[in-house]
Structure formats: structure tokens, C-alpha cells
Amino acid sequence: MKYMILLLSVIWGLCSCSPDLDIKQDYSFSIKTLPLPKRLETGENVALEFTLVRERIYKEANYSFRYFQSDGKGILTDDTGQKLVMNRLYRIKSDEFTLLYQSACAEVQQLDFVFIDNFGEEVEYSIAFQNDDKN
């Protein structure tokens, strides 16, 4: 009798498992930066220190970004000095990363970023600077 109950318990346990087990992989995320100056002089450099904040860590998740400069002119590079091209997709290798921006005009400048994961979730993030030339 004892073996019969154990056998029925095992069979019930195996039959109750669903082959449609849904494992969540697409967790939300956000982007933060350390405080940035509001004004830049033409030719001035600023480090854009980003942090990728994940709801949960899933090791198969990959993150990328692209950017567009909607106002003004400037040069955006990665931490190795490689110039980044607008609207091209760049992979994020670490949850904390730095990009370098150099102002190249005497007007308002705005960088619009779109951060994307491999599950299709997108986060938009914008950074703007006023000109601070003393002319």
C-alpha cells in the first residue's frame, strides 16, 4: 500500500508538469547617468557615464544602443577614442560604460539615445547642453 501511494504520487507529479512552461527572459531595464554639466564651451569635452539598471539579471540578455544628434554638432566617442557614427547600433559590453562627447558648435546640443535589448524592449534617453562660450 505504501508503495502504491508513492507510485501514484510520482505519476501525479510527472503528469502535472506542463510542457508549456513559460520562463521569463525579457526583463525591463532603465538607463542612468552621473550628473552632467548643463553648459559646454565649443571644444569642451564631457564624459557621459552610463549605468544600465536591470530589473533582473538574465545572462542571455544583450544590450545595444544607437544615437542621433538632433540639435547642434559634436563628436561622440567610446572609451577607447573610437568615433561613433549616428544611427549605427553599438553593443554594450558592461552595465557601466562611458562615452565621451566633445562640443563642436556654439549652439544648443542634444543627443538622443535609444537603448535596445535582444528581446525588443527599447528605452529612450536624451542629453542636452547649452552653449557656454564667453564671446
Side-chain angles (χ1 to χ4, degrees):
M1 181 69 171
K2 196 159 108 176
Y3 293 112
M4 181 66 100
I5 293 173
L6 180 60
L7 180 61
L8 289 173
S9 296
V10 169
I11 292 171
W12 180 78
L14 291 174
C15 292
S16 66
C17 292
S18 170
D20 299 326
L21 183 61
D22 184 24
I23 298 173
K24 183 173 171 117
Q25 300 171 339
D26 56 335
Y27 294 104
S28 64
F29 67 96
S30 62
I31 297 294
K32 292 184 179 180
T33 58
L34 289 179
L36 295 167
K38 294 182 191 312
R39 299 182 168 279
L40 291 179
E41 292 182 22
T42 303
E44 186 175 355
N45 295 305
V46 64
L48 311 175
E49 298 181 57
F50 290 95
T51 301
L52 176 67
V53 181
R54 305 188 209 193
E55 176 187 0
R56 294 263 195 284
I57 302 293
Y58 178 62
K59 75 176 191 169
E60 299 299 320
N62 297 310
Y63 299 89
S64 302
F65 76 92
R66 64 173 42 113
Y67 88 98
F68 182 76
Q69 185 153 7
S70 55
D71 284 317
K73 290 184 181 180
I75 301 167
L76 187 66
T77 60
D78 64 15
D79 59 352
T80 67
Q82 178 69 39
K83 185 177 176 183
L84 304 181
V85 178
M86 285 190 279
N87 290 326
R88 186 165 294 165
L89 201 59
Y90 294 96
R91 180 138 187 229
I92 298 172
K93 298 174 185 155
S94 171
D95 286 359
E96 294 183 355
F97 62 99
T98 301
L99 302 176
L100 305 168
Y101 178 73
Q102 181 180 43
S103 171
C105 70
E107 55 193 56
V108 173
Q109 298 151 74
Q110 181 166 325
L111 299 168
D112 299 314
F113 293 88
V114 177
F115 294 90
I116 307 158
D117 71 9
N118 56 319
F119 300 103
E121 182 161 348
E122 295 185 1
V123 172
E124 295 180 9
Y125 194 88
S126 293
I127 297 173
F129 302 105
Q130 299 291 323
N131 182 265
D132 198 25
D133 285 348
K134 311 267 192 282
N135 298 334

